[in-house]
Amino acid sequence: MGASPPAVAVVDAETSGNVGTIARAMKNFGFEDLYLVDPPDLSRGSEAYGYAGQAREDVLPEAEVVDLDFLVETFHTVGFTAITNEDATKHVRFPFRTPDELAGSLRDVEAPTCLVFGRERVGLHNREIERFDEVCSIPASADYPVLNLGQAATIALYELRDLTVDETQLPDVAVHRATEDEIEAFYDHFDDFLSLVDYPDEKQAKTGRMLRRILGRAHPTGREINTLHGILRRARWHIEGNGRKDSVDDDGY
């Protein structure tokens, strides 16, 4: 994708509150440019500013009112819809991508991109969607697939956040993972423990592999590995030293 985050456009929203909700979601997930086609009242006293959170300081007041021609002529456009065609014989709403799939495909688009969301009750019209470059739809229950406009945009922008957000408030779990040396030391400790409790020799290798797979999926932290070491040490103290911590030499685990 290009250097700039995708823009967001809202077509003919009926309520300003939904526009404010979308502006807030844009702020949450790193989107900046908002375009409005036939918008409702977005004055400072409207619901939009009440729903926008911190986006009331930049995203919402800096939104531009444009027409659909501007979006089509300026951007690689992606129209969002809840209702898609059921097969490949109809081409207005087919083929389509899910937001997760779209996140991957947009990385290869060098042109400026705009994500287009439509009306609360009827969404985007066929005559609008047929002018767009791509169609995207959020998977939902077949019994009730139609989402509120603000909800749909929030879900889509969340799924596309990797295009816009380099860092979040969440810690990088990979950074806290125990080192391979620490994990290997625990495997050795566990093997010794199996021998200590007379675990059947023919089962030790299989049990060791099972433990590797469990911890391989878990990505334990250094503290978690140290806690597991401590459990095995405590068990050994009870087995060899009648529960007295100082009755068994500490072997360095």
Side-chain angles (χ1 to χ4, degrees):
M1 62 165 289
S4 300
V8 175
V10 184
V11 176
D12 196 17
E14 296 177 13
T15 64
S16 63
N18 271 326
V19 177
T21 296
I22 293 172
R24 178 171 185 155
M26 290 174 62
K27 187 78 172 180
N28 287 142
F29 302 120
F31 296 82
E32 301 172 355
D33 298 326
L34 175 61
Y35 294 95
L36 303 169
V37 178
D38 297 325
D41 172 37
L42 296 177
S43 62
R44 284 280 177 176
S46 69
E47 281 189 339
Y49 279 83
Y51 282 70
Q54 291 188 12
R56 69 170 64 93
E57 304 300 328
D58 44 26
V59 176
L60 192 55
E62 294 172 13
E64 294 185 42
V65 178
V66 299
D67 57 26
L68 200 69
D69 288 340
F70 171 84
L71 298 179
V72 172
E73 294 167 4
T74 307
F75 296 101
H76 175 89
T77 47
V78 183
F80 283 76
T81 179
I83 306 301
T84 63
N85 290 331
E86 297 180 358
D87 57 49
T89 64
K90 302 174 183 177
H91 300 288
V92 174
R93 299 171 184 263
F94 189 94
F96 59 87
R97 299 183 193 272
T98 65
D100 180 60
E101 295 167 340
L102 186 67
S105 69
L106 287 184
R107 293 185 184 280
D108 298 325
V109 177
E110 296 182 359
T113 300
C114 186
L115 314 173
V116 186
F117 300 89
R119 305 159 185 82
E120 285 88 339
R121 290 182 294 109
V122 297
L124 294 166
H125 298 150
N126 279 349
R127 65 177 180 274
E128 295 164 341
I129 289 180
E130 67 186 5
R131 301 185 66 189
F132 298 150
D133 298 294
E134 295 190 67
V135 176
C136 186
S137 187
I138 298 170
S141 169
D143 293 333
Y144 191 39
V146 179
L147 295 164
N148 169 275
L149 175 59
Q151 292 174 328
T154 299
I155 292 170
L157 298 179
Y158 165 76
E159 290 286 358
L160 297 170
R161 70 195 182 283
D162 286 347
L163 299 175
T164 59
V165 176
D166 292 326
E167 296 182 0
T168 71
Q169 85 283 13
L170 302 179
D172 185 350
V173 176
V175 171
H176 297 279
R177 186 179 187 274
T179 66
E180 290 305 313
D181 288 343
E182 290 172 330
I183 294 175
E184 287 296 325
F186 175 72
Y187 293 146
D188 292 339
H189 194 178
F190 184 74
D191 289 343
D192 291 343
F193 181 77
L194 292 181
S195 297
L196 175 67
V197 298
D198 294 326
Y199 197 77
D201 291 342
E202 67 274 12
K203 294 184 178 180
Q204 288 192 21
K206 182 177 181 180
T207 302
R209 288 195 300 271
M210 186 181 301
L211 180 67
R212 280 181 178 270
R213 290 170 184 169
I214 293 171
L215 292 186
R217 295 193 299 270
H219 301 298
T221 65
R223 181 177 181 181
E224 289 168 340
I225 286 294
N226 286 335
T227 298
L228 293 176
H229 277 304
I231 292 171
L232 296 187
R233 281 198 301 269
R234 176 66 64 177
R236 181 183 175 193
W237 292 333
H238 278 274
I239 293 169
E240 293 189 344
N242 197 26
R244 291 178 50 235
K245 178 177 178 180
D246 58 356
S247 64
V248 178
D249 292 335
D250 192 334
D251 53 13
Y253 289 122

